[in-house]
Structures are given as C-alpha cells and as structure tokens.
C-alpha cells in the first residue's frame, strides 16, 4: 500500500458508529442518480430501433442502434471500471453520465443530417450512461453487510423504476418538442436524455462523498490493502478461480442478452401488427416495470433463499416470457405480458448474479471483477442485439424468442453443476 493510498484510506474511513448513517446517505444519492439515469436511458432507447430504421432506410439494420448502445456500454465499461478501481466510484460514474450526454447530442446531429454511421457512434457514446447506471448497483454493495448485500443492490436497481417507466411515455412529447427544428421526431427523446444525464452527473459529483469504494477499502483488513490485486487482469484471475464467480458472470450475461435481444426488436414487431407509438411506449414501460419494480423482492429472496435459488428462478421466468412473447402473434396483450415477465427474469438474474459475484471474489479484486462482469454481459447482449435484427428480418420474431430460449440451457446446467459442487463433501485429508 503506497503512502498516497494510506492517506486516502485515513481520509475515507468513517468515524466509529457513523457507518449506518453513511450507508443510508450513499444509498440516497445513488437512488436519486439512478432515477435520473433510468429516465434518460429509457427516454432515448424507447425509439432507438425506429430511429435507426428511419435514418438507414432498412429494417434489417434497425437492430444495430440498440446494439451500438449495448456495445458502447460494454466497451466503455472497461475504462470506467479501471478509473473506479484506481480513483473510486464517483469519478467513474460522473464520466459515464457525461459521455452518455455527449453521445445523445451526437445522435441528434446524426438524425438531422441523415448519417447512419454517425448515429451508431452516438448510440455507442449513449451507452456510457447505461454503464454508469449498471456500476451504481455495485457502489451500493461496497459498504453493505454481507447478509444484506443483495437487498442493497436491488434497492438501487429498483430506484431506476421511477425514471425508466416514465421515460418511454415521454418519448412522444419529447419528439413533438423538436417539430420545426429539422430533427426527426424519433430523435427528440435523445435531446432530452442528454440534459438529464448532465443533471445526474452533477448529483453524483457533488453528493457522493465520501466515495463508497474507497471507504470500503479503508475499512478492509490490512492484508487486503495491496493495490496489486486491483487490475482488470487480477479481476479476471479472481473470477477464473471461483466456480460461483463464473456462474455469476454467465447468469448476468445470459439474462441480459435474452432481455436486450427480445426487447430491442419488440417495437419493430409491434409496428408490424399495427401498434401505435403510444402503445409501444406502454408495452416497453410494462417491461421496464418488470425489470426494476420487483427487484427488492428479488434481493430479499437472494439474501434469504440464496443466490443460486434466485438464479434458478430467473431461468424459469425467462423461459415463460420467451414462450409468451414468441407465440403472441397479433395479441398485443400477450406480447405485453411476455415483456413484463421478461423484465422479472432479468431482474432475478441481475440481482442474484451481481450479489454472487461480489460474494465470490476478494474485496481487493471486486471493482475489477465487477467491471469484467459488465463487459461480458454487454458484449454478449451487443452480439445478441445485432443477431436479433437479422433473425427478425430473415425469419420472424417468434424465431428470435426461440433462439433466446436456447441460451437458457447452458445457464441452467451450470447452475445445477455449481449447486451440486457446493453440496459435494470435501475429500478427507491424507
């Protein structure tokens, strides 16, 4: 531990007895930033595929807009995680929101000039805000007690509900607000999202003090103060050494990929069946409610029943959701039900996987392993989103759901194998 790190540890360590109040204050700040971040992301992403189809003139390319966002989230999660590992959560979250605001502005410019490549670049930058939102759940876990860690994560995930549910429903007025400016209506939500991200960055910069990650390090035992284990390579090694950490990575990757792939193409499928923009907004709002509103329940179940049990619940919910959405046809109600259950399955997978990963790796390697987790889940989802557009264009939305369902098979097998490994008695010595 260097002299600078020792001074930082002393500065960030709370006074005796102050930790409960500090947990509450940090949680409050993260909740506010999540509401704003969720509002911004959901406002923009609601019509991303529609905007991409308008700018590109091709339905097969429409899935590339949400895919670019997911890819940007994945790629930018690496430098953001490295920044958090070195400097703490606050600078990483602030930078993520500001990059998201810049990306939103680029999307608006691209839509105005009709440049599809520039649109994809802006969508990638927009994804940085999603990366900041995802990393905030780990900030909540930094100071949480181990037996309440899943609930701490789920509370911050839940906070996104308020903004994320409202976001798709203000997409229409946001679109109308740019009428006469030479900007497509589908780009209006991105203009609003950029301003919201700036406010979120300001809240984190001013109020997230002391930094939760640096405080957790200051409270850690002396043997965990070494900076040698804080590189991304060390995070990879920590995950590779733990079967539970590997399961955690697969859980969040599969649940996120299935959700992103199906959700991103649902608006396109609904338009094929005569749905209006307002109806699409309601369906996506219901989906987002499923994602976030019940996350405290998932957190409580993960703390009480165990992370592996909730991982199994995630697999079951996702399977039901894909069946409902894939067989809905012209039934908008069944599509809405499928998307709602899809959100529930995602919530169970994200909360249980995030808590399991935090449990399974040493404190010194957690930030790096968490960044690796977000890189993995968003890279997988980016590939899934790209494939989703092609599957719908060449086959159908039903085939997309069936393809996503196939991803659940290896996750279920790995969860069963990990559970069996835990129950297997250790060999006797000598």
């Amino acid at each position: 531990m260097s002299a600078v790190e020792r001074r930082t540890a002393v500065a960030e360590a709370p006074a005796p007895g102050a930790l409960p109040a500090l947990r509450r204050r940090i949680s409050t700040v993260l909740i506010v930033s999540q509401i704003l971040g969720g509002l911004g992301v959901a406002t923009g992403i609601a019509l991303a595929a529609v905007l991409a189809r308008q700018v590109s003139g091709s339905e097969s390319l429409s899935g590339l807009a949400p895919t670019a966002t997911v890819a940007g989230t994945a790629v930018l999660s690496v430098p953001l995680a490295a920044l958090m590992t070195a400097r703490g959560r606050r600078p990483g979250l602030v930078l993520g929101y500001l990059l998201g605001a810049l990306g939103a502005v680029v999307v608006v410019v691209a839509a105005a000039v009709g440049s599809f490549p520039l649109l994809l670049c802006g969508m990638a930058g927009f994804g940085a805000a999603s990366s900041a939102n995802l990393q905030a759940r780990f900030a909540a876990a930094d100071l949480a007690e181990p037996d309440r860690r899943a609930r701490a994560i789920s509370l911050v995930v839940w906070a996104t509900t308020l903004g994320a549910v409202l976001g798709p429903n203000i997409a229409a007025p946001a679109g109308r607000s740019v009428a006469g400016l030479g900007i497509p209506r589908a780009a209006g939500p991105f203009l609003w999202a950029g301003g919201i991200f700036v406010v979120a960055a300001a809240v984190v910069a001013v109020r997230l003090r002391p930094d939760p990650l640096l405080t957790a390090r200051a409270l850690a035992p002396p043997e965990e103060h070494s900076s040698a284990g804080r590189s991304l390579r060390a995070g990879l090694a920590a995950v590779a050494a733990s079967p539970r950490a590997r399961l955690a990575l697969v859980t969040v990757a599969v649940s996120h990929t299935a959700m992103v792939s199906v959700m991103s193409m649902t608006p396109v499928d609904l338009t094929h069946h005569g749905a209006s923009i307002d109806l699409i907004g309601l369906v996506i709002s219901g989906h987002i409610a499923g994602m976030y509103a019940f996350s405290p329940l998932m957190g409580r179940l993960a703390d009480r029943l165990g992370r592996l049990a909730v991982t199994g619940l995630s697999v079951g919910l996702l399977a039901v959701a894909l069946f409902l959405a894939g067989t809905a046809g012209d039934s908008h109600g069944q599509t809405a039900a499928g998307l709602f259950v899809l959100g529930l399955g995602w919530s169970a997978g994200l909360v249980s996987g995030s808590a399991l990963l935090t449990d399974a790796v040493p404190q010194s390697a957690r930030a790096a392993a968490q960044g690796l987790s977000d890189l993995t889940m968003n890279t997988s989802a980016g590939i899934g989103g790209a494939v989703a557009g092609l599957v719908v264009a060449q086959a159908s939305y039903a085939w997309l759901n069936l393809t996503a369902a196939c991803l659940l098979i290896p996750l279920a097998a790995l969860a069963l194998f990990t559970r069996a490994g835990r129950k297997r008695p250790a060999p006797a010595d000598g």
Side-chain angles (χ1 to χ4, degrees), residues 291-370:
M291 290 173 65
Y292 299 115
F294 296 89
S295 58
L297 173 62
M298 302 304 178
R300 182 171 293 275
L301 291 175
D303 281 336
R304 291 176 65 88
L305 304 180
R307 320 309 192 205
L308 298 183
V310 179
T311 294
L313 175 62
S314 173
V315 172
L317 289 170
L318 290 171
V320 171
L322 297 172
F323 173 79
L324 289 173
T327 60
D330 292 333
S331 174
H332 296 156
Q334 185 172 329
T335 299
L339 267 287
F340 175 74
V341 179
L342 183 70
L344 290 177
W346 176 88
S347 179
L350 184 75
V351 170
S352 62
S354 299
L356 182 61
L357 179 66
T358 305
D359 293 341
V361 297
Q363 199 282 332
S364 60
R366 279 178 189 164
Q370 290 158 351

Side-chain angles (χ1 to χ4, degrees), residues 26 30 89-90 139 142-143 208 210-217:
I26 287 176
L30 291 172
R89 301 290 185 190
R90 186 172 58 250
D142 285 334
L143 294 174
L208 194 63
D211 190 282
L213 178 58
L214 300 183
T215 302
R217 287 177 179 169

Side-chain angles (χ1 to χ4, degrees), residues 144-326:
E145 298 167 306
D147 62 348
R148 297 184 63 86
R149 191 168 281 150
R151 274 171 279 188
I153 291 171
S154 67
L155 182 62
V156 171
V157 173
W158 168 85
T160 312
T161 308
L162 300 178
V165 171
L166 179 61
N169 290 293
I170 67 173
R176 290 191 290 269
S177 72
V178 300
L181 299 179
I183 301 172
R185 290 179 59 177
F190 288 93
L191 192 62
W192 287 30
I196 294 169
F197 291 152
V198 171
V199 176
V203 168
V204 172
V206 174
R207 301 299 301 171
L208 194 63
R209 299 174 184 274
D211 190 282
L213 178 58
L214 300 183
T215 302
R217 287 177 179 169
L219 294 172
E223 61 270 17
E224 295 189 14
H225 285 175
S226 173
S227 60
R230 297 178 190 168
S231 68
L232 291 178
R233 179 177 296 180
L236 177 61
V239 171
S242 170
R244 287 165 62 82
R246 295 196 297 270
L247 172 61
L249 242 67
V250 174
T251 299
V252 295
V254 168
S255 58
H256 197 57
T257 301
M259 184 277 293
V260 168
S261 300
V262 174
M263 182 273 292
S264 65
M265 296 310 298
T266 298
V268 175
D269 182 69
L270 286 171
T271 59
H272 287 165
H273 296 293
S276 66
I277 289 180
D278 290 333
L279 177 58
I280 292 172
L282 289 174
V283 171
I284 298 300
S285 291
H287 166 66
I288 293 172
M291 290 173 65
Y292 299 115
F294 296 89
S295 58
L297 173 62
M298 302 304 178
R300 182 171 293 275
L301 291 175
D303 281 336
R304 291 176 65 88
L305 304 180
R307 320 309 192 205
L308 298 183
V310 179
T311 294
L313 175 62
S314 173
V315 172
L317 289 170
L318 290 171
V320 171
L322 297 172
F323 173 79
L324 289 173

Side-chain angles (χ1 to χ4, degrees), residues 29 31-45 93-105 108 126 128-130 132-133 159-160 162-171 173-175 177 187-205:
V29 175
I31 286 172
V32 172
S33 69
Q34 283 293 93
I35 292 172
L36 292 170
L39 176 61
V41 171
T43 299
I45 208 67
L93 294 177
V94 169
L95 180 60
Y97 286 127
L98 292 180
L99 288 175
L102 177 61
V105 172
V108 174
F126 187 83
S130 293
N133 269 11
T160 312
L162 300 178
V165 171
L166 179 61
N169 290 293
I170 67 173
S177 72
F190 288 93
L191 192 62
W192 287 30
I196 294 169
F197 291 152
V198 171
V199 176
V203 168
V204 172

